[in-house]
Amino acid sequence: MAFAVSTACRPSLLLPPRQRSSPPRPRPLLCTPSTAAFRRGALSATTTPTPARAALPSTTGRNRIVCGKVTTTNNYPSSCRSRRSTMMHAAAWLLLQQLSPAAARVARAADDDSSVQVSKGSAAPNFTLRDQDGRAVSLSKFKGRPVVVYFYPADETPGCTKQACAFRDSYEKFKKAGAEVIGISGDDAASHKEFKKKYKLPFTLLSDEGNKVRKEWGVPADLFGTLPGRQTYVLDKNGVVQYIYNNQFQPEKHIGETLKILQSL
């Protein structure tokens, strides 16, 4: 008697063959171990994770992962500081490329190591500089009326041109307040003369070659000392500083801020 082969006990033969699938791809890790483990306190601060990718610092717990490293303090590790510093220096370098060769030399000559000597309520130190026509001009000449002294990086740069033209457009308001406007930069007299003529500037531009007065007044430099600072001083009729305003990247705000102070004197 012949028996047929039964498949009742072998259900796998009745099912289609299982398709082979590729092994699952490992999920990319931002950092190993995870920041969640640190939040739970599962790992100690001495463990150094594999820096596959930089993870954002955790805002909870004592331990954080920053740039693939563990830190228990509120300060970023030196690797982060160096990267941030490099990026800022690169930005400063790009700004300097927009300056003319002469203006770039003036910008690099700025020194921000001097301490601030001129502050609100102090008497502004006198100086004598050459104007756009080569004539010697002293600050004491303007005593008896308010004076706005503004230091700017260099002639013909975008921000300085905008600032100078804004002072020009509001010059009648300064005259109405009885004040005089003086612009100072490290450019020579010839550069000032061309700059003044090109934009029809009605006020005096003084040449501070070598940035002697800038250093004496303690005008801080910007972008790690690569760009001379943009700072405005409002002096009353007695030569006492009543207001100091510093804003490198919003040059037009200097005009509005100084006018408010002049109108209150």
Side-chain angles (χ1 to χ4, degrees):
M1 182 174 179
F3 293 93
V5 179
S6 174
T7 60
C9 297
R10 302 178 62 187
S12 61
L13 297 178
L14 299 178
L15 300 176
R18 181 178 298 176
Q19 296 181 353
R20 293 184 178 180
S21 60
S22 59
R25 295 180 180 178
R27 297 179 65 181
L29 298 177
L30 292 180
C31 193
T32 304
S34 66
T35 55
F38 279 91
R39 294 191 185 100
R40 293 192 300 267
L43 297 175
S44 64
T46 57
T47 306
T48 303
T50 304
R53 291 186 184 180
L56 294 176
S58 171
T59 57
T60 60
R62 297 183 60 186
N63 299 315
R64 298 184 303 168
I65 306 176
V66 183
C67 294
K69 296 185 178 181
V70 180
T71 176
T72 58
T73 65
N74 294 326
N75 298 325
Y76 286 95
S78 59
S79 59
C80 291
R81 290 196 299 269
S82 61
R83 292 177 188 175
R84 182 170 53 188
S85 175
T86 301
M87 292 176 66
M88 292 299 295
H89 277 292
W93 182 85
L94 290 174
L95 284 176
L96 285 175
Q97 302 315 301
Q98 298 179 7
L99 305 179
S100 64
R105 287 194 295 271
V106 171
R108 295 188 185 97
D111 181 12
D112 64 332
D113 292 333
S114 59
S115 59
V116 177
Q117 299 178 13
V118 178
S119 58
K120 182 179 177 180
S122 66
N126 188 39
F127 57 75
T128 300
L129 296 173
R130 297 285 177 180
D131 67 3
Q132 65 279 344
D133 298 316
R135 296 173 297 191
V137 177
S138 298
L139 180 62
S140 58
K141 169 187 174 182
F142 303 96
K143 197 168 184 179
R145 53 178 163 164
V147 182
V148 176
V149 179
Y150 81 94
F151 291 84
Y152 64 98
D155 295 336
E156 295 291 349
T157 55
C160 298
T161 301
K162 183 182 295 185
Q163 182 181 23
C165 291
F167 270 116
R168 176 200 65 194
D169 296 342
S170 299
Y171 189 65
E172 290 301 321
K173 296 180 181 179
F174 285 99
K175 286 181 64 177
K176 188 176 180 179
E180 187 56 62
V181 177
I182 301 173
I184 301 177
S185 79
D187 300 287
D188 58 24
S191 174
H192 279 336
K193 187 172 185 177
E194 183 178 352
F195 187 53
K196 179 181 173 73
K197 180 180 179 181
K198 181 177 180 179
Y199 296 101
K200 299 180 174 59
L201 305 179
F203 49 87
T204 301
L205 297 178
L206 298 181
S207 177
D208 182 24
E209 294 187 70
N211 297 296
K212 181 179 178 180
V213 174
R214 178 183 288 271
K215 296 173 186 176
E216 183 181 3
W217 282 49
V219 180
D222 294 311
L223 294 175
F224 301 97
T226 59
L227 195 64
R230 188 187 309 280
Q231 189 147 294
T232 299
Y233 299 83
V234 179
L235 281 57
D236 63 17
K237 62 182 181 179
N238 297 316
V240 177
V241 178
Q242 297 296 327
Y243 186 70
I244 301 175
Y245 184 73
N246 185 300
N247 194 319
Q248 179 68 262
F249 302 105
Q250 292 182 303
E252 291 175 302
K253 290 194 69 176
H254 288 252
I255 290 78
E257 295 293 328
T258 54
L259 277 173
K260 290 178 185 178
I261 301 300
L262 285 172
Q263 291 167 358
S264 65
L265 292 179

